[in-house]
Amino acid sequence: MGKRKRQRESTTVSKRPKEIKLPTVISSDEPVIEKKKWTNKQRVLIFSSRGISFRSRHLMMDLRRLMPHSKSESKMDRKDKLFIVNEVCEMKNCNKCIYFEGKKKQDLYMWVSNVPRGPSAKFLVENVHTMLELKMTGNCLKGSRPLLSFDQTFDSDPQWQLLKELFTQIFGTPSHHPKSQPFVDHVFSFSIVDNRVWFRNYQILEEDGSLAEIGPRFVLNPIRMFEGSFIGSTLYQNPHYVSPNLYRRMLRKKVSQKYVSRVQSKKSLEDRRPEESYKTDVTDDVFVTIRPEQAKGDVKNLFYRNV
């Protein structure tokens, strides 16, 4: 049998506790460690064409402030074709686009597109109220991420489902975006009323769900949806849409109709008015006598007064 090794007697050594060194810098003063978990690479290009009004420009600036994942670009010439926007987005490394198009310095159209393959949608922007114009009591942190609230009507028809997906990808701030803040303190509300999309922005005041409107607010009247980005076959066309030119023409026609009806009523009154109101008899004035006090003109010479 082999020899067994003798087990050495364990000697107890007194271990001193290790010294704990505190950092010389306070944790609040340490630089924030950037989280490299930005996986949803969504970048939105927000710009406009030349000729938009001041209110439209302020609305565009408000959207840029509310969306930290957005980028800006100089105004595009109105003579350029719309498919050039895809090239601009490619140079800016953006895969989503919000393009404001102004016409006649009073009509504002908004394009929402998924670059470069589509789909895209065109809206008429109505009832625009900016943040400076409303003077709401609510406020939110710049760069904070919003909650997106959609009406139940968005799940009813295919065109609303498509718009819901587009709005989710465009207005939703990606998680851990470098320019975003790790807070959720406001809500983007999308609701459908009268075949239009109503946009509202609310601040979350308390945990119980109380809200205060911040602004901006506007209404999107859908016109047409395309298969591609600013081009392609039509997926949906709004049958209830009335162009601003036609609407203004109807208003002018309505006002002019009042004048025409008033002139026609006067003319008909003159045509219906008889030459003689009632028939008179010539002999009725035979026994009518005139007193001297009531005589006027040459009739006074017929009366002789004693002096």
Side-chain angles (χ1 to χ4, degrees):
M1 295 180 67
K3 297 181 180 179
R4 296 181 178 178
K5 294 182 179 181
R6 295 181 180 178
Q7 298 179 354
R8 296 181 180 180
E9 296 180 356
S10 60
T11 57
T12 58
V13 181
S14 60
K15 296 182 179 180
R16 296 181 180 179
K18 295 182 179 180
E19 296 180 356
I20 302 174
K21 294 183 178 181
L22 297 176
T24 57
V25 182
I26 304 174
S27 60
S28 61
D29 296 337
E30 292 179 358
V32 180
I33 301 174
E34 296 183 359
K35 298 181 181 179
K36 299 180 180 180
K37 295 182 181 179
W38 182 29
T39 57
N40 185 15
K41 304 287 184 177
Q42 297 289 343
R43 300 179 183 89
V44 183
L45 181 64
I46 303 177
F47 70 116
S48 66
S49 65
R50 297 188 183 277
I52 62 174
S53 61
F54 69 96
R55 182 177 283 109
S56 304
R57 186 174 65 255
H58 289 179
L59 175 63
M60 180 181 63
M61 298 301 296
D62 291 342
L63 291 180
R64 287 179 183 174
R65 296 189 192 98
L66 292 174
M67 301 167 62
H69 60 293
S70 63
K71 290 187 177 182
S72 61
E73 177 63 19
S74 59
K75 295 180 180 180
M76 193 177 72
D77 194 358
R78 289 180 293 180
K79 297 180 181 179
D80 296 337
K81 302 297 181 181
L82 286 176
F83 60 84
I84 299 179
V85 179
N86 298 328
E87 300 178 2
V88 178
C89 293
E90 185 179 357
M91 290 187 295
K92 285 289 185 177
N93 194 19
C94 296
N95 52 2
K96 299 291 185 296
C97 178
I98 298 179
Y99 176 67
F100 292 94
E101 184 181 7
K103 292 184 179 180
K104 295 185 177 181
K105 296 184 179 180
Q106 55 183 344
D107 301 331
L108 180 63
Y109 297 91
M110 188 177 80
W111 286 84
V112 176
S113 175
N114 180 24
V115 180
R117 297 182 179 181
S120 59
K122 183 180 181 181
F123 303 93
L124 174 65
V125 185
E126 302 173 343
N127 299 332
V128 177
H129 298 280
T130 59
M131 297 177 69
L132 297 177
E133 181 183 359
L134 289 175
K135 296 182 181 179
M136 294 293 182
T137 57
N139 194 6
C140 65
L141 183 66
K142 185 177 181 180
S144 60
R145 299 180 62 203
L147 292 176
L148 301 182
S149 174
F150 291 92
D151 191 4
Q152 295 180 354
T153 317
F154 278 96
D155 299 329
S156 59
D157 296 328
Q159 66 270 14
W160 301 124
Q161 295 177 3
L162 177 62
L163 288 180
K164 179 181 179 180
E165 185 63 27
L166 269 177
F167 291 153
T168 303
Q169 296 182 12
I170 291 176
F171 290 94
T173 304
S175 179
H176 302 294
H177 190 276
K179 294 183 180 180
S180 65
Q181 300 290 340
F183 304 102
V184 178
D185 58 353
H186 62 288
V187 181
F188 287 164
S189 173
F190 299 91
S191 57
I192 298 176
V193 180
D194 195 15
N195 297 316
R196 291 172 173 83
V197 181
W198 297 62
F199 176 85
R200 296 290 185 271
N201 183 20
Y202 298 98
Q203 178 196 2
I204 304 175
L205 297 178
E206 301 292 341
E207 295 181 357
D208 57 355
S210 57
L211 302 174
E213 187 174 355
I214 303 173
R217 57 164 65 172
F218 54 90
V219 180
L220 299 177
N221 189 2
I223 302 174
R224 187 174 294 186
M225 301 179 191
F226 300 93
E227 183 179 1
S229 178
F230 298 95
I231 198 171
S233 59
T234 302
L235 299 178
Y236 170 76
Q237 186 174 2
N238 188 7
H240 307 284
Y241 172 71
V242 178
S243 64
N245 294 330
L246 181 59
Y247 180 71
R248 287 190 289 266
R249 180 182 176 185
M250 292 168 60
L251 290 180
R252 289 194 299 266
K253 188 176 180 180
K254 187 177 180 180
V255 174
S256 63
Q257 189 65 30
K258 292 182 180 179
Y259 174 75
V260 173
S261 61
R262 187 168 65 251
V263 171
Q264 290 179 354
S265 63
K266 288 183 179 180
K267 186 177 180 180
S268 63
L269 179 61
E270 293 294 334
D271 295 340
R272 290 182 287 106
R273 180 175 294 172
E275 296 180 358
E276 297 180 357
S277 59
Y278 59 92
K279 293 182 180 181
T280 58
D281 190 1
V282 183
T283 60
D284 291 343
D285 297 335
V286 174
F287 299 101
V288 175
T289 58
I290 301 175
R291 294 182 180 181
E293 296 82 4
Q294 298 177 351
K296 294 181 180 180
D298 297 337
V299 184
K300 291 183 178 180
N301 299 329
L302 300 176
F303 299 95
Y304 295 96
R305 297 181 180 180
N306 296 323
V307 180

